[in-house]
Each structure stands twice: as C-alpha cells, then as structure tokens.
Amino acid sequence: HYIWHGAVQRRHVRHTRPGSAVPKWVLSKHDVLESLGDDAEGELRRRAATAKFLQELSAKVGLNQWTTATAIVFFQRYLTFRTHGIYDKFVVAVACLFLAGKAEETPKKLPDVLTAAYELRFKGKKSLSPDDAKYTDYAERIMVAERHLLDTLHFVLAVVHPYKHLPSILAALAPVLRGDEEQRLNDVAWKVVNDTFRSSALCLQYEAKVVAAGALYFGA
C-alpha cells in the first residue's frame, strides 16, 4: 500500500555550504525534523512507502540496488530542498528513478519505467499504452518533474552510498575477524543499509561512511 496523499509541497531547508549555492546534503537532526514538517512521523511513513515503491519498481525494470538507492536519495533531497511548487509524489518518484538510471549509467527507457510504475500503482487496471492520452500526460509530467529535480539538485547527480565504504572498513577489521565473519558482516551490513533507505531519512542526516560503519557495528 503506497501512501501518496495526492501531491506534496515542502518548504524548505535551504542550508548551503559557505560560498556555494549548492545545499549541504548532510543536515542536523533538527534540520531533518524541520524538513519533515508538523507531522514528522506521518511524513516518514509516507516517504518509507514511496521508498518501498521505488524498490519494487526498480526490481520490476531490472535496475540494481545502487541505482535504487540513488533514486531514493534524489527523492529525499527533492522533498527536503524544493522551495516551491506542488507535485504529484508518484510523478516525482518515477522521475527520480528515471534520472537515477541515467546518473548511474544504467538507463532505462521512459516507456518501460512509466508502464511498470503504472502497473504497480494501479494494480488491476488496464496497462498503459504509449497511444493512450493518459500515457502522454504522465510522460510529459515526468519530464517536467525531472527538470525540477535537476534544478533542485543543482545538477549534482553523483551520490556516494554506504555500500562503497563497506569493503575498506571490513579490510581494516580483517585482522580481528575469524573464519567467515567478514562475509557474514558484509551480508548483514548490506541488508541494514538497504533498510535505512526504505525506512528512514538517514541519508539526509549522516555521511555515507558513518552509515556504513553503523551498519557493520549493528551486524557485529
């Protein structure tokens, strides 16, 4: 069950690096809570539902977890840093995955992403066809959302994920690990990191290497 609540309008935290117009992507806990609005718990649930949708959509079109994580980070950053406008969460989510595919060099064609997304959201309804007026409307809105997304992200599409830091941290721990502990820790940490994308806004609050270290500590 995906919680869309029709459309979303965020306010929003627009903190920037000194001397730069690009927002700081890592925020304090206070700023994260502020970005979630008055109903922080409800907003986290809605974001988690959309993250679950993105996970399922990514699997449906054959994208890997890295690209999925990038799409979720794009979505979280968009909702946090967008300063104006009201946009359908479904359209924004699809635009995030479509853009993430290009950013991570795993591109998928828009018709494939859109038809798969429509099937997931509207289960039981007739599939979209490129000849349908509804398809054209959604496609146009996704392209507009992608442009807004690029603007909000200041065209900064490179995302560092916790997965990248797991090997180096595990290598540093290797002297004190026994037997197959390294592989077990790696497997557990991957699952924990995956869960953080689905159920929290940790990607807004901590650097990737901190999340990676925390995931390994949890699995130890």
Side-chain angles (χ1 to χ4, degrees), residues 36-180:
L36 294 173
D38 296 332
D39 181 19
E41 186 176 337
E43 178 62 14
L44 279 174
R45 284 199 305 271
R46 289 187 285 275
R47 293 192 187 192
T50 304
K52 180 176 183 288
F53 169 79
L54 284 169
Q55 289 274 3
E56 295 186 9
L57 175 57
S58 183
K60 192 174 179 67
V61 297
L63 289 170
N64 59 38
Q65 179 57 32
W66 197 286
T67 300
T68 307
T70 296
I72 294 172
V73 171
F74 285 172
F75 185 77
Q76 291 275 17
R77 289 178 178 177
Y78 182 88
L79 295 190
T80 301
F81 292 95
R82 189 68 190 157
T83 55
H84 64 277
I86 299 176
Y87 304 103
D88 186 320
K89 267 189 177 180
F90 170 73
V91 170
V92 172
V94 176
C96 285
L97 190 67
F98 182 57
L99 180 60
K102 291 186 278 189
E104 299 295 349
E105 298 184 354
T106 56
K108 295 293 180 181
K109 295 179 180 179
L110 181 57
D112 296 336
V113 177
L114 176 52
T115 53
Y118 188 86
E119 288 172 4
L120 276 178
R121 185 184 180 187
F122 302 104
K123 292 179 179 178
K125 289 192 176 183
K126 180 183 176 182
S127 298
L128 272 185
S129 165
D131 297 327
D132 295 339
K134 186 177 290 186
Y135 172 91
T136 302
D137 176 61
Y138 270 123
E140 290 176 352
R141 290 162 64 194
I142 289 168
M143 297 307 294
V144 170
E146 183 185 36
R147 290 195 291 272
H148 286 301
L149 179 60
L150 285 166
D151 177 65
T152 301
L153 298 175
H154 291 256
F155 291 84
V156 178
L157 303 183
V159 179
V160 178
H161 294 303
Y163 311 112
K164 178 182 178 180
H165 295 284
L166 293 178
S168 60
I169 299 175
L170 282 169
L173 294 173
V176 298
L177 297 177
R178 298 178 181 178
D180 62 352

